[in-house]
Amino acid sequence: MVKKYLLPENGQFYKANLHSHSTMSDGKMTPEQMKEEYQKRGYSVIAYTDHNVMVPHPELTDENFVALTGTEYDFDNETEENPYHLIPVCHICMIALDPDNVVQPCFTPTKYYDKVKAFNDPRYQVTYDESQPFYERSYTPECINDVIKKAREQGFFVTYNHPTWSLEGFSIYGKYEGMNAMEICNYGCVTEGYDEYNPWEYDELLRQGKQLYCIATDDNHNHYPIDGPRCDSFGGFTMIKADKLEYKAITDALVKGNFYASQGPEIYSLYVEDNKIHIKSSDAARIVVTTGLRHSYCFYPLEGDTINEAAFELRPDDIYVRITVFDKTGKPADTNAYFVEDLLGE
Ligand SMILES: [Zn+2]
Ligand SMILES: [Zn+2]
């Protein structure tokens, strides 16, 4: 059997923050400042996903950096009887697969005018299809699924964000269809006190047969000092493996799932050979295999030591496998889920 690489054999890992807010909406850093601070810490990619407004930043892309065009949409049915802090809401991000794709799907300029500083600033381009009626968003699975579908059709990578902060349980998010990925970690929410590491939520969707990837993001707003304890940057990142650091190479890798999510540890390689999965990583205190069934297992080093690899047999009766590498401080790195029937017997 030939080796099947689950993370590509060739290419390079690029560190990415796929969810961020700048001064274009309610963030404190300008897009330029964000680029500078993230680059200092080894990042090569930022998706600029300001609330409800999609502002491309092609001027920030160069040979060492890719600025992905994106936006975050919110859905809520807030009323006087149902104040905002009590109700579940839904947030999704959409990231344009092509740098030329600057037309915002399902847009309602009037409704979001006040939140959208960029809208009246001629320096920034906000584009929507003026021939379309204004899109009225509402907090229903039908509307949310319609926006996801339209965004996918219009060439966007769609992510489902921070279920814990949103107060959404499985009975709600289990109805959402067609997103490319969900946030297994949203670090900004973690810094605000929410338990926004979501492996369980990810498993619930996978067990239902939904094939989606997982990403870790910052969702940074930077209302606190960048080197202080409340800083909401640099805690959740996605390592994207691509041939080169160019816009389309990065988004192709996103669509293919050539990445993993991390809050610290690194994953160097991941492949299947003879129905066995092999993983190599930075120093791990344990490596956990999750299968979607009561079949999980764990690799440990000898006491006080660390391990850097694990290999395990695929079992045909499992639904999927995904692997989590924990470092000594308890920080995880999560692979995407791989469905067993796609991996066996090739
Ligand atoms: Zn959000
Ligand atoms: Zn956000």
Side-chain angles (χ1 to χ4, degrees):
M1 179 193 170
V2 285
K3 266 189 197 178
K4 180 180 169 129
Y5 285 90
L6 303 179
L7 290 168
E9 180 184 17
N10 301 311
Q12 217 181 305
F13 279 110
Y14 298 103
K15 193 170 187 175
N17 174 20
L18 296 176
H19 182 172
S20 70
H21 299 280
S22 74
T23 47
M24 298 293 106
S25 60
D26 59 351
K28 277 284 184 290
M29 277 202 280
T30 65
E32 294 78 9
Q33 285 170 329
M34 215 191 290
K35 173 183 174 182
E36 191 186 323
E37 294 296 341
Y38 274 82
Q39 272 199 307
K40 269 193 228 164
R41 292 160 179 88
Y43 286 73
S44 308
V45 179
I46 294 177
Y48 289 89
T49 56
D50 276 298
H51 296 286
N52 299 308
V53 64
M54 191 169 86
V55 186
H57 297 289
E59 72 284 0
L60 298 181
T61 293
D62 57 34
E63 57 182 23
N64 297 312
F65 187 78
V66 170
L68 297 173
T69 304
T71 180
E72 181 177 34
Y73 277 10
D74 47 63
F75 301 80
D76 70 69
N77 289 346
E78 183 185 10
T79 59
E80 225 161 271
E81 308 81 68
N82 294 304
Y84 192 67
H85 70 288
L86 293 180
I87 54 171
V89 299
C90 176
H91 287 194
I92 59 172
C93 279
M94 36 188 103
I95 297 170
L97 298 179
D98 195 297
D100 299 329
N101 193 1
V102 296
V103 179
Q104 239 181 274
C106 308
F107 195 46
T108 313
T110 44
K111 188 160 181 184
Y112 297 100
Y113 234 55
D114 57 329
K115 293 186 191 170
V116 174
K117 292 176 196 163
F119 205 75
N120 292 317
D121 189 328
R123 285 175 302 165
Y124 303 106
Q125 179 193 11
V126 177
T127 313
Y128 59 98
D129 185 348
E130 292 179 46
S131 72
Q132 292 291 317
F134 290 164
Y135 195 96
E136 275 297 320
R137 278 181 239 157
S138 68
Y139 181 69
T140 62
E142 293 74 28
C143 179
I144 291 158
N145 288 339
D146 186 54
V147 173
I148 295 171
K149 183 164 171 279
K150 291 197 163 92
R152 290 284 301 267
E153 284 167 2
Q154 290 177 45
F156 290 84
F157 182 87
V158 180
T159 67
Y160 170 59
N161 301 343
H162 51 61
T164 304
W165 181 91
S166 293
L167 305 181
E168 291 194 299
F170 179 71
S171 63
I172 302 176
Y173 63 70
K175 296 189 175 120
Y176 300 156
E177 302 282 348
M179 49 277 194
N180 296 85
M182 71 164 281
E183 287 182 331
I184 199 163
C185 170
N186 177 304
Y187 185 66
C189 291
V190 171
T191 64
E192 288 185 354
Y194 298 89
D195 182 8
E196 207 67 73
Y197 177 48
N198 302 311
W200 174 253
E201 287 79 355
Y202 187 38
D203 284 320
E204 291 220 279
L205 290 172
L206 294 166
R207 223 179 269 126
Q208 211 190 27
K210 292 196 158 68
Q211 304 216 357
L212 76 171
Y213 305 133
C214 66
I215 59 172
T217 72
D218 279 339
D219 191 6
N220 54 297
H221 292 71
N222 305 106
H223 289 252
Y224 298 97
I226 199 112
D227 41 16
R230 298 186 72 172
C231 170
D232 55 5
S233 283
F234 323 120
F237 53 92
T238 302
M239 296 297 282
I240 302 170
K241 197 159 190 192
D243 293 338
K244 54 192 170 192
L245 186 59
E246 285 178 10
Y247 196 110
K248 279 288 286 171
I250 293 298
T251 56
D252 283 349
L254 284 180
V255 170
K256 289 180 183 148
N258 293 336
F259 57 83
Y260 65 88
S262 183
Q263 296 170 62
E266 285 179 86
I267 294 171
Y268 303 133
S269 73
L270 184 64
Y271 61 89
V272 192
E273 191 173 34
D274 297 327
N275 292 340
K276 246 181 155 180
I277 291 197
H278 298 254
I279 186 167
K280 290 189 169 62
S281 71
S282 55
D283 292 347
R286 62 196 167 107
I287 296 177
V288 175
V289 179
T290 304
T291 66
L293 299 173
R294 193 170 299 108
H295 229 182
S296 292
Y297 40 106
C298 209
F299 296 88
Y300 290 97
L302 294 172
E303 191 154 358
D305 206 353
T306 51
I307 47 175
N308 296 90
E309 58 186 312
F312 58 93
E313 201 86 32
L314 286 165
R315 293 192 266 207
D317 53 345
D318 284 330
I319 306 170
Y320 62 86
V321 292
R322 57 180 196 85
I323 305 157
T324 311
V325 174
F326 288 95
D327 69 15
K328 276 186 164 173
T329 67
K331 287 183 181 160
D334 289 279
T335 72
N336 282 315
Y338 300 92
F339 283 75
V340 171
E341 62 178 11
D342 300 335
L343 302 180
L344 277 174
E346 283 187 36

